[in-house]
Amino acid sequence: MPWDRNQMAERAAQELDDGMYVNLGIGIPTLVANYVGDKDITLQSENGMLGMGPFPYEGEEDPDLINAGKQTITELARTSYFDSATSFGMIRGGKIAAAILGAMEVAENGDLANWMIPGKLVKGMGGAMDLVAGVGRVIVVMDHTNKHGVSKILKRCTLPLTGRGVVDRIITNLGVLDVTHKGLHIQELAPGVTRDEMIAATEATIV
Amino acid sequence: MPWDRNQMAERAAQELDDGMYVNLGIGIPTLVANYVGDKDITLQSENGMLGMGPFPYEGEEDPDLINAGKQTITELARTSYFDSATSFGMIRGGKIAAAILGAMEVAENGDLANWMIPGKLVKGMGGAMDLVAGVGRVIVVMDHTNKHGVSKILKRCTLPLTGRGVVDRIITNLGVLDVTHKGLHIQELAPGVTRDEMIAATEATIV
Amino acid sequence: MGKIYSSAAEALDGLLFDGMLIAAGGFGLCGIPENLISAIREAGTKDLTVASNNAGVDGFGLGVLLESRQVKKMMSSYVGENDEFMRQYLSGELELEFNPQGTLAERMRAGGCGIPGFYTKTGVGTVIADGKEVKQFNNEDYILEEGIFADLSIVKAWKADETGNLIFRKTARNFNPPAAMCGKVCVVEVEEIVPRGTMDGDHIHLPGIYVHRIIQGDHEKRIEQRTTRKREEA
Amino acid sequence: MGKIYSSAAEALDGLLFDGMLIAAGGFGLCGIPENLISAIREAGTKDLTVASNNAGVDGFGLGVLLESRQVKKMMSSYVGENDEFMRQYLSGELELEFNPQGTLAERMRAGGCGIPGFYTKTGVGTVIADGKEVKQFNNEDYILEEGIFADLSIVKAWKADETGNLIFRKTARNFNPPAAMCGKVCVVEVEEIVPRGTMDGDHIHLPGIYVHRIIQGDHEKRIEQRTTRKREEA
């Protein structure tokens, strides 16, 4: 049976090792924080914070303490604050070990599209282009196909790119794929999913 | 009678206005601080401090508190500390209103040489190239001639440059000269010094 | 020092002109110069280009300058919270220059630090690279991004001392320091002005050299996405 | 977190190799990583390139690595305090790359921030510009300077918490943050290690993300130019 959202997040959490500094995107990636267990992970919020804590209790919201999704959050014992130039300096400089992000499309060469659909309202890339260009490891977590059943893992992206050749690993409801210089490689299959099912559901070539 | 060192420093202090952030070089420029009177001047030390205070009393020296000449100093009520990249960011970014510096040679086009003499021991330019390239106004304070009586204000510098076309004003024992796009212009003469004496002591063309 | 002004209007007096470039601090509605934005609305300055990560929301933050049609162009990374923005943008009334968030922050810092251009990997191979110089370092492509040199910076801090030294609070720091750096003139609104000597020099986030005028303001500090968790039963 | 080591030798274990590039914090003898320098001397690593504003004095600071002939090349802005340096340099035993002080600091920060090159006016028209690309912005010449990407950073801070968050003290901050940023690995020596949660997140000068290993050390903190003034009679 393919993984659900929470199982995908749980699987993504296995990518994180003790001591890592990590940036989690919006959506399923946010759920990853629920599955890190005892691992000593420090979450970055790219608006200027390392050591992001959980949402505050009602009545304890602080307008000066939000995450990159503009949600009220809390701090931890390890928390540090800094300005946006410093924050993206550490992103661009490769100090963030991993980013876990959602995507609209990923191509077999590691190209990523997750910020705009031509003809639709364009809201902006925010920090997504900086993250995929800068962090040590880019892990995409998304459904394998869109709501019409069409593969989101393609030979080539059709949407405008967020980054070229940036994705290292893709975690979907069907399993885990690695982007290698030879092409996509199946790393793991969700329980009950066969290699043939994975290949059939994927437009990109799996080697 | 030409100005002595202290009178040159006193004259240089007239260049400073209330509210200015200023960097003073080593030698006569350091003496300028003694003549600012009631003016609200903030001194930068380019190793990472704004609001440099006087030398400490004996026994109160702090090894963590030195100026760019590596001398022990003190802080003031306005003092802020920052790292070297930030410090030179404000220099390069033109936030320092004026630098008052010594020189070996100045040319009529504003070229400045004050960091190396070929064949002699080269100690390095330190922050001098950054300062002359970045600050709002570069004021040179120096003796008009060297110990052999040869003009230090030249048609062209003979020594390796610290900066090209960077000097705005020259204060010497003989008076004050401005570097204009038309050439050097006498702004003021020390008491008893004639225009002809100034011209005779200057290799550069005075217009 | 004469940096302290009694109102936002007074602090902006003589600094505003049609067609100017303003760099604004803030992220979303967090740490935005609310009072200075209102005063620019009152002043009616037109054809503004505003470099700011976001464009406020309808009726608050930079949204009020969009409503009044004072903005000609935004330089931002994300503008999704603002319907009026989208309406003007889609109708061609408003220009928009998208910048990756980190590129925007670094462009502001660069302008403030006298750096007219720098190379970055961010945006290589995307529409962001269109028309920009590409250079290889170590066999990898980088694009040239230019420093932002603003006519005016408008910034929100937590505390200022009389000499303009600033301290920010938590994630309200965000774009405020780089925005402050890149302006020819920088006007700051704070929650509290404290006497000189009451700030530890090691705790100052932005030295007063970057700050030309200061006002103490009232701040609504609106929360954009109020999210909470349940208290566990004791 | 496992960032805390019991000695400088232990903290450097496995990180040193001949021919490596080390970025060192400090200005003169202020805020220098004394203990780490001694441990590198003990380790005997050779052919080092060291990016550091100064080169220490004879017998202290980086001077000890010059004495032991472990340094092949210095990248510095001012080296006037060190006779042994001058002797080796003049005899051709030591390479020297002069960098204007601000260019050196910015090159370190750039390396740490993923910026391989930036343009600056500093040094235009001087020997510093020799062999460097010149580009015009706004009709003015700027030269291209490259980011420094070091194999190792050695840094001195005042306090660290267990997660590596650092606080510096007064002008001992100087080159330490940019040097820390530009290394693949950063080892820090501090005067005091404090428990996590005891530092205010708004007071941290360098977040722990830049810090891989920490030791608490004894520091001589030698003063290079002791200057004082007389107490006025009461």
Side-chain angles (χ1 to χ4, degrees), chain C residues 106 109 113-121 133 135 137 142 144-146 158 167-171 173 200-205, chain D residues 106 109 113-121 133 135 137 142 144-146 158 167-171 173 200-205:
Chain C
E106 190 67 17
R109 180 196 176 274
C113 293
I115 293 173
F118 60 91
Y119 291 95
T120 175
K121 228 184 325 184
E133 184 196 311
K135 188 191 273 294
F137 293 86
Y142 292 80
L144 178 65
E145 293 282 1
E146 298 196 354
W158 185 35
I167 292 178
F168 301 90
R169 189 169 170 275
K170 302 188 188 289
T171 57
R173 197 181 319 181
D200 183 332
D202 278 328
H203 293 172
I204 290 164
H205 295 136
Chain D
E106 189 68 17
R109 180 197 177 272
C113 292
I115 292 173
F118 60 90
Y119 291 95
T120 175
K121 227 185 323 186
E133 184 197 311
K135 190 190 269 298
F137 293 86
Y142 292 81
L144 178 64
E145 294 282 0
E146 298 197 354
W158 185 37
I167 293 178
F168 301 90
R169 189 169 171 274
K170 303 189 187 288
T171 57
R173 196 181 320 181
D200 182 333
D202 278 328
H203 293 172
I204 291 163
H205 295 137

Side-chain angles (χ1 to χ4, degrees), chain C:
Chain C
M1 297 284 289
K3 290 188 180 181
I4 299 170
Y5 288 69
S6 61
S7 72
E10 200 190 298
L12 292 170
D13 187 45
L15 302 179
L16 301 174
F17 58 92
D18 291 351
M20 72 190 299
L21 170 56
I22 297 177
F27 178 87
L29 302 181
C30 180
I32 59 172
E34 305 177 17
N35 293 279
L36 293 165
I37 291 168
S38 296
I40 294 171
R41 163 97 182 228
E42 291 300 314
T45 320
K46 283 188 296 288
D47 295 327
L48 301 174
T49 296
V50 181
S52 167
N53 189 57
N54 311 93
V57 296
D58 293 294
F60 194 65
L62 290 171
V64 307
L65 299 182
L66 294 164
E67 269 174 6
S68 55
R69 312 292 179 91
Q70 290 173 257
V71 180
K72 184 183 66 177
K73 178 179 173 183
M74 288 295 305
M75 302 164 72
S76 302
S77 88
Y78 191 83
V79 296
E81 300 93 348
N82 194 312
D83 290 340
E84 175 64 15
F85 184 105
M86 283 301 169
R87 202 199 55 68
Q88 290 184 27
Y89 175 56
L90 294 174
S91 69
E93 294 164 61
L94 186 65
E95 292 172 57
L96 174 57
E97 177 192 294
F98 271 131
N99 285 257
Q101 192 172 153
T103 297
L104 184 64
E106 190 67 17
R107 289 183 64 194
M108 288 183 182
R109 180 196 176 274
C113 293
I115 293 173
F118 60 91
Y119 291 95
T120 175
K121 228 184 325 184
T122 303
V124 168
T126 75
V127 295
I128 288 301
D130 289 353
K132 289 177 184 157
E133 184 196 311
V134 178
K135 188 191 273 294
Q136 287 211 331
F137 293 86
N138 225 346
N139 292 318
E140 283 201 77
D141 286 349
Y142 292 80
I143 55 174
L144 178 65
E145 293 282 1
E146 298 196 354
I148 292 174
F149 299 83
D151 297 304
L152 172 68
S153 304
I154 55 173
V155 161
K156 156 75 170 62
W158 185 35
K159 291 183 184 183
D161 73 11
E162 296 155 344
T163 71
N165 289 320
L166 299 185
I167 292 178
F168 301 90
R169 189 169 170 275
K170 302 188 188 289
T171 57
R173 197 181 319 181
N174 57 58
F175 274 79
N176 282 297
M181 286 181 177
C182 76
K184 281 197 199 79
V185 184
C186 173
V187 183
V188 178
E189 59 182 74
V190 298
E191 298 178 41
E192 190 183 353
I193 297 173
V194 301
R196 71 177 74 186
T198 58
M199 285 182 181
D200 183 332
D202 278 328
H203 293 172
I204 290 164
H205 295 136
L206 194 78
I209 191 170
Y210 293 104
V211 173
H212 301 91
R213 301 181 181 189
I214 310 161
I215 57 157
Q216 186 166 339
D218 290 324
H219 295 91
E220 178 183 336
K221 301 215 283 187
R222 194 184 292 186
I223 291 176
E224 204 163 342
Q225 302 283 345
R226 188 176 301 270
T227 46
T228 58
R229 65 186 149 135
K230 283 262 186 317
R231 276 177 206 277
E232 291 88 26
E233 298 297 325

Side-chain angles (χ1 to χ4, degrees), chain B residues 152-196:
Chain B
K152 294 171 70 174
I153 304 176
L154 307 171
K155 289 191 193 305
R156 286 184 71 87
C157 288
T158 64
L159 297 172
L161 296 185
T162 308
R164 192 176 69 189
V166 294
V167 176
D168 295 294
R169 179 165 279 196
I170 311 164
I171 298 173
T172 75
N173 49 320
L174 300 187
V176 181
L177 291 158
D178 272 2
V179 180
T180 75
H181 65 283
K182 293 182 177 168
L184 290 179
H185 182 262
I186 297 175
Q187 191 69 24
E188 192 177 327
L189 293 164
V193 176
T194 67
R195 185 179 162 86
D196 285 348

